[in-house]
Amino acid sequence: MDEEMKQRRVYRADPDDSRAAPHTGRAYRELVGGPLDGLLIDITALSAAEIANGLDLATDDGTYGPGGCSEYGPRATDPQWWDWRGDRR
């Protein structure tokens, strides 16, 4: 893992927690666009279907505020990037 990656923040991690930064031996994807833009998501424990299809990620920062979520999924041309697909309740 390069030094730039170690500086990044992981989705759902408390910024004051040591888990807020990525860890060697785990797999991550970068979230692109929407309210979670720039965060990393740890996909290490996800199923193959979840990795292929993407996820709804809970966030208070989307269109619907508290209780809402944002849908992210792999980019067809480069699945290392997960693009924002919109917000949901």
Side-chain angles (χ1 to χ4, degrees):
M1 179 180 306
D2 64 23
E3 287 303 313
E4 183 179 331
M5 179 68 103
K6 291 179 184 176
Q7 302 293 322
R8 307 294 301 278
R9 185 164 167 258
V10 178
Y11 166 76
R12 300 301 276 184
D14 182 333
D16 297 327
D17 189 332
S18 65
R19 293 172 296 185
H23 291 283
T24 301
R26 301 197 64 83
Y28 298 93
R29 298 294 183 264
E30 182 168 349
L31 303 176
V32 180
L36 303 176
D37 184 54
L39 295 180
L40 300 174
I41 183 164
D42 184 345
I43 64 162
T44 306
L46 296 181
S47 70
E50 289 172 320
I51 293 170
N53 297 320
L55 298 169
D56 287 341
L57 304 174
T59 181
D60 293 345
D61 297 327
T63 302
Y64 300 104
C69 61
S70 293
E71 180 183 0
Y72 285 84
R75 184 178 294 176
T77 58
D78 186 352
Q80 294 293 323
W81 303 88
W82 277 28
D83 292 319
W84 178 59
R85 297 175 176 165
D87 292 333
R88 303 174 191 255
R89 287 188 193 262

